[in-house]
Amino acid sequence: MSRFLSKRLNSLEPYVPGEQPHGKKYLKLNTNESPYPPSPAVLAAKNKEENLQLYPDPDAGLLSEVLAAKYKVNANQIFLGNGSDEVLAFLFQAFCDEDHEICYPDLTYGFYSVFAALFGLKRNEIPLKADFTIDLGDYAFCGKNVLIANPNAPTGLSLKREEIEQILKTNAEHLVIIDEAYIDFGGESSVSLLERYDNLIVVQTFSKSRSLAGARLGYAIASKEIIADLKKLKFSFNPYNINSLSMKAGTAAVLDEEYYCMCCEELIQTREKTKRALRELKFTVTNSDTNFLFAKPDGIKGEEYYLALKRHGILVRHFNTERIRDYVRISIGTPLQMDFFLEETKKILKGSKKMQEVIQK
Amino acid sequence: MSRFLSKRLNSLEPYVPGEQPHGKKYLKLNTNESPYPPSPAVLAAKNKEENLQLYPDPDAGLLSEVLAAKYKVNANQIFLGNGSDEVLAFLFQAFCDEDHEICYPDLTYGFYSVFAALFGLKRNEIPLKADFTIDLGDYAFCGKNVLIANPNAPTGLSLKREEIEQILKTNAEHLVIIDEAYIDFGGESSVSLLERYDNLIVVQTFSKSRSLAGARLGYAIASKEIIADLKKLKFSFNPYNINSLSMKAGTAAVLDEEYYCMCCEELIQTREKTKRALRELKFTVTNSDTNFLFAKPDGIKGEEYYLALKRHGILVRHFNTERIRDYVRISIGTPLQMDFFLEETKKILKGSKKMQEVIQK
């Protein structure tokens, strides 16, 4: 720490992203990246963009328009960010303060608490039930802005649209932010609720189903008034936040719906197959609507399993957090990758059971 | 404004970027973009990057290393941002508060005051002298963080390295931030002072001399402690702030020094030639060390000249600010573009003088 840092930031505990291995090659099942490359049309679009000496469109007009057409809203209801992390940061900064607190589940995307700390807000974490589901009663008339990842990470579980609607109805004077990073893998999107609820903000990303984590693109869909607020903040922070290359890649991705639907379908099949296989190996596995599985191995601790997989050349994510310490989060790869993962898992379990028998004798 | 906006942001007045024309084609001399495309090596590098389904390196390791090698510092002394606007925003957020105020000239990059407002800071604007130069005495022992664009925009004037050193010496307990966005067009960089002053932060950009405004890349060079503070903030706001495509393009740009030196040399020649031509037309023109000229026409108001140029298909920047209302800021284009600009300017002046004679009769 330098002697110049503002005391406001002294106690910040930054977000820790999943490991990005340098050197050794791993099968990376730890950051929920897509195992599929962007579509050929996307690669062609970013290759065609050569006028990089010019500033990008600060309003991201064309990309906003194709997104608006896809979601059947107006372009002035779309706000683009440098990844959905930036969109979420702006949401905290624009709409939350001591008079407008925010609450979210205790087991969810770890960044929410980092944002709360960054903007000097109270951490209002509402415990999930023992089975990791949300108790809707906790959010009814809660008197705060509500932030829910739907489907949730790392649990993989999702709420139905009518459940989201209950939260919206009972919090009409507060914002309800639904982080739909994983929505294309099975959940019910809340976008259609925007017609009736002006307190709804839906956040989505190009990093998962659209295979563009490297391009950094996320967006919010909300009322035009809320989007105007976000733009005001953006134009006070970083007007040209979306670079020209990502803008072109993103536009092509939205237009190439067929390719991405195909990828999602294959991924969902692989997820279901992997889930069944893990359950056969006596794992506890939640019913995930995402591109990952949240799974607890039988007879081996979560951390031990995570470390063993790493030795076997496979990275998954382990959270050293009380309630979920025995679980790991496994991103879904290609069918071949998941076969390899399952093979190595079997070896690890076998080794572990042998060890236990040895110890018990 | 939505009914949900935090009152902290109610009174924000966002930065207004230079016009980005849609539809009609203009000769754009209004946002200090480079008239030269990125080098072929840069275009090849971004075309080669196809693994966009993976997150980028959140530490921007390779790009930090090539920059460190160029500036003869360590890689842990480099902080990369999504454009230098983001770097500046992080500097305000990390190092300025009610106990650590910041001051800067009254006529400078307009975004500084927007950042001050965004982070709830007092606007300490120190007037430039009548000839637009900085009075060094104003900054000696000023008891605040200091922010100086060197060379300055929109005046184009620069301080010598020894003058910057005076500011550093007399403010050892405060940060001195030197925004060197235009440094490659003639000024003296302060980077070499980093060896002796741990209160110095130098900010540079890829948007001007490196022809990459569209890629959004800026960086700070400072002590490793200051850079660690900035990273802590970044990892609490947007860890993956640099996308993979811009990272590759930027790395190639740093390595292709020869191309960019050539572009800068040609631009400087064009600037000097344009300056002489404008002075022959009785313009008052400052001695710019940047890729633009700050010029006051004779016998026609600044706004009138700006509007006339626009009618003639040329965009320049006019600031409706008291002390500089009679000036315009003219980005330097290619030699051909500047010939066209001078031709149209002559037509405008001729028309304007005829008008005056008519009025006087």
Side-chain angles (χ1 to χ4, degrees):
Chain A
M1 200 182 81
S2 81
R3 61 204 169 94
F4 304 105
L5 187 66
S6 168
K7 60 182 179 304
R8 277 184 291 129
L9 304 189
N10 271 350
S11 58
L12 270 194
E13 289 196 28
Y15 180 71
V16 181
E19 292 160 87
Q20 299 287 353
H22 300 284
K24 184 176 171 184
K25 288 272 175 208
Y26 286 96
L27 170 55
K28 267 187 97 265
L29 304 179
N30 69 328
T31 48
N32 299 343
E33 290 154 331
S34 170
Y36 305 107
S39 83
V42 167
L43 297 177
K46 64 99 180 151
N47 290 350
K48 217 175 137 191
E49 174 60 58
E50 301 204 326
N51 277 327
L52 294 174
Q53 72 274 28
L54 305 182
Y55 281 95
D57 174 5
D59 289 310
L62 189 58
L63 180 48
S64 302
E65 277 165 31
V66 296
L67 282 168
K70 176 175 164 57
Y71 294 106
K72 300 186 176 60
V73 296
N74 289 313
N76 61 9
Q77 292 184 261
I78 305 273
F79 176 81
L80 265 301
N82 182 29
S84 62
D85 286 342
E86 190 187 63
V87 175
L88 289 164
F90 283 150
L91 290 173
F92 273 78
Q93 193 170 5
F95 301 113
C96 301
D97 55 33
E98 64 270 36
D99 302 324
H100 303 82
E101 295 189 15
I102 187 161
C103 63
Y104 44 84
D106 65 338
L107 300 172
T108 188
Y109 184 29
F111 219 134
Y112 300 162
S113 282
V114 178
F115 290 134
L118 176 62
F119 296 109
L121 302 165
K122 218 172 121 187
R123 283 166 63 155
N124 297 301
E125 298 181 354
I126 300 183
L128 294 178
K129 291 195 277 192
D131 63 356
F132 302 139
T133 58
I134 282 178
D135 186 338
L136 283 182
D138 289 339
Y139 294 89
F141 305 102
C142 69
K144 299 181 180 68
N145 291 331
V146 173
L147 170 52
I148 287 178
N150 191 47
N152 193 22
T155 65
L157 302 176
S158 67
L159 293 175
K160 296 276 169 211
R161 192 179 296 117
E162 60 190 48
E163 295 175 300
I164 299 287
E165 188 164 7
Q166 272 194 53
I167 300 177
L168 284 162
K169 265 188 195 161
T170 56
N171 293 282
E173 293 308 311
H174 294 89
L175 284 175
V176 177
I177 303 168
I178 306 299
D179 180 352
E180 295 189 348
Y182 299 101
I183 198 67
D184 294 330
F185 302 108
E188 288 180 6
S189 174
S190 297
V191 168
S192 63
L193 296 173
L194 281 165
E195 274 182 22
R196 278 175 292 138
Y197 298 94
D198 76 343
N199 59 328
L200 171 62
I201 302 180
V202 177
V203 178
Q204 296 197 356
T205 177
F206 283 75
S207 297
K208 310 298 178 188
S209 60
R210 289 200 188 94
S211 300
L212 281 177
R216 315 309 304 124
L217 281 176
Y219 50 100
I221 319 179
S223 74
K224 68 180 198 295
E225 290 79 14
I226 285 172
I227 297 304
D229 288 343
L230 286 169
K231 288 201 173 173
K232 189 169 155 181
L233 173 55
K234 177 187 108 142
F235 276 89
S236 300
F237 182 87
N238 195 12
Y240 299 107
N241 66 332
I242 310 295
N243 74 85
S244 308
L245 294 164
S246 300
M247 204 130 46
K248 289 289 163 70
T251 305
V254 178
L255 295 175
D256 200 358
E257 185 110 358
E258 199 184 342
Y259 175 85
Y260 293 100
C261 285
M262 210 173 62
C263 294
C264 284
E265 275 167 30
E266 178 165 302
L267 193 132
I268 291 168
Q269 280 179 24
T270 313
R271 178 189 73 207
E272 293 305 303
K273 198 180 149 199
T274 309
K275 182 172 75 179
R276 286 192 298 272
L278 285 174
R279 284 182 177 165
E280 276 168 26
L281 296 170
K282 296 199 183 152
F283 277 68
T284 307
V285 191
T286 62
N287 281 315
S288 170
D289 280 321
T290 66
N291 68 343
F292 58 82
L293 288 171
F294 194 52
K296 184 171 82 164
D298 181 43
I300 171 171
K301 293 217 173 294
E303 188 174 13
E304 202 183 322
Y305 176 52
Y306 152 74
L307 289 170
L309 281 172
K310 195 169 174 179
R311 283 193 300 274
H312 286 242
I314 300 168
L315 286 181
V316 299
R317 187 114 201 223
H318 176 253
F319 298 92
N320 208 357
T321 307
E322 198 181 334
R323 295 180 63 188
I324 54 174
R325 197 165 281 147
D326 287 336
Y327 282 77
V328 296
R329 193 193 68 187
I330 305 147
S331 308
I332 301 299
T334 62
L336 261 177
Q337 288 172 337
M338 297 322 282
D339 286 347
F340 175 69
F341 159 79
L342 286 167
E343 283 315 306
E344 299 308 304
T345 289
K346 282 176 199 163
K347 289 182 201 165
I348 291 165
L349 293 180
K350 218 170 150 186
S352 153
K353 280 189 182 137
K354 257 192 205 146
M355 280 301 288
Q356 283 178 4
E357 285 164 15
V358 172
I359 291 164
Q360 279 167 2
K361 272 179 192 170
Chain B
M1 202 180 79
S2 81
R3 61 203 170 96
F4 305 105
L5 187 66
S6 168
K7 62 182 178 303
R8 280 185 289 129
L9 303 189
N10 270 349
S11 58
L12 270 193
E13 289 197 27
Y15 180 71
V16 181
E19 293 159 86
Q20 300 286 356
H22 300 283
K24 183 175 171 185
K25 288 273 176 206
Y26 286 96
L27 170 55
K28 265 189 95 266
L29 304 178
N30 69 328
T31 49
N32 299 341
E33 291 154 329
S34 170
Y36 306 107
S39 84
V42 167
L43 297 177
K46 64 98 182 155
N47 289 351
K48 217 176 136 190
E49 174 61 56
E50 301 204 326
N51 276 327
L52 294 175
Q53 72 274 27
L54 304 181
Y55 281 96
D57 175 5
D59 290 309
L62 189 57
L63 179 50
S64 301
E65 278 166 30
V66 297
L67 282 169
K70 176 176 164 58
Y71 294 106
K72 300 185 175 60
V73 297
N74 289 312
N76 62 10
Q77 292 185 260
I78 305 274
F79 176 82
L80 266 300
N82 183 29
S84 62
D85 286 342
E86 190 188 65
V87 175
L88 289 164
F90 284 150
L91 290 173
F92 272 78
Q93 194 170 5
F95 300 114
C96 301
D97 56 32
E98 63 271 36
D99 302 324
H100 303 82
E101 295 189 13
I102 189 162
C103 63
Y104 45 83
D106 64 336
L107 298 174
T108 188
Y109 184 29
F111 218 135
Y112 300 162
S113 282
V114 177
F115 289 134
L118 176 61
F119 295 111
L121 303 165
K122 219 173 118 184
R123 282 167 64 154
N124 297 299
E125 299 181 354
I126 300 183
L128 294 177
K129 291 195 279 191
D131 63 356
F132 301 140
T133 60
I134 281 177
D135 186 338
L136 284 181
D138 288 340
Y139 293 89
F141 307 102
C142 70
K144 299 181 179 69
N145 291 330
V146 173
L147 170 52
I148 287 179
N150 190 47
N152 193 23
T155 66
L157 302 177
S158 67
L159 292 175
K160 297 277 170 212
R161 191 180 295 116
E162 59 190 49
E163 294 175 301
I164 300 286
E165 188 165 7
Q166 272 195 53
I167 300 176
L168 283 161
K169 265 188 194 160
T170 57
N171 292 284
E173 292 308 311
H174 293 91
L175 285 175
V176 177
I177 303 167
I178 306 298
D179 181 352
E180 295 190 346
Y182 299 102
I183 197 66
D184 295 328
F185 302 108
E188 288 180 6
S189 174
S190 296
V191 168
S192 62
L193 296 173
L194 282 164
E195 275 183 21
R196 281 176 289 138
Y197 297 94
D198 77 340
N199 58 328
L200 171 62
I201 303 179
V202 176
V203 178
Q204 296 195 356
T205 178
F206 283 75
S207 297
K208 311 297 178 185
S209 60
R210 290 200 186 93
S211 301
L212 280 176
R216 314 309 304 123
L217 282 174
Y219 50 102
I221 319 179
S223 74
K224 67 179 198 297
E225 290 78 13
I226 286 173
I227 298 304
D229 288 343
L230 286 170
K231 287 199 175 173
K232 191 170 155 180
L233 173 55
K234 177 188 109 143
F235 277 89
S236 299
F237 183 86
N238 195 12
Y240 299 107
N241 65 332
I242 311 293
N243 75 85
S244 307
L245 295 164
S246 299
M247 203 129 49
K248 290 289 164 69
T251 305
V254 177
L255 296 174
D256 200 358
E257 186 109 359
E258 199 184 342
Y259 175 85
Y260 292 100
C261 286
M262 211 172 60
C263 293
C264 283
E265 275 167 32
E266 178 164 304
L267 192 134
I268 290 168
Q269 279 179 26
T270 314
R271 178 189 73 207
E272 294 305 304
K273 199 179 148 201
T274 308
K275 183 172 74 180
R276 285 192 299 272
L278 286 175
R279 283 181 177 165
E280 277 168 25
L281 297 171
K282 298 199 182 152
F283 277 69
T284 306
V285 192
T286 62
N287 280 315
S288 168
D289 280 323
T290 65
N291 68 343
F292 58 83
L293 288 171
F294 194 53
K296 183 172 84 165
D298 180 44
I300 170 171
K301 293 218 173 295
E303 189 175 11
E304 201 182 325
Y305 176 51
Y306 152 75
L307 289 170
L309 281 171
K310 195 168 175 180
R311 283 193 300 272
H312 286 242
I314 301 169
L315 285 180
V316 298
R317 187 112 200 225
H318 177 253
F319 298 92
N320 208 358
T321 308
E322 196 181 334
R323 293 180 65 187
I324 55 173
R325 196 163 283 146
D326 286 337
Y327 282 75
V328 297
R329 193 192 68 186
I330 306 147
S331 307
I332 301 299
T334 61
L336 262 177
Q337 289 173 336
M338 298 322 283
D339 286 346
F340 175 69
F341 159 77
L342 286 167
E343 283 314 305
E344 299 307 305
T345 290
K346 281 176 200 164
K347 289 183 201 165
I348 291 166
L349 293 179
K350 220 169 149 187
S352 154
K353 278 188 185 137
K354 257 194 206 146
M355 278 305 287
Q356 282 178 2
E357 285 165 17
V358 171
I359 291 165
Q360 278 165 5
K361 271 178 196 172

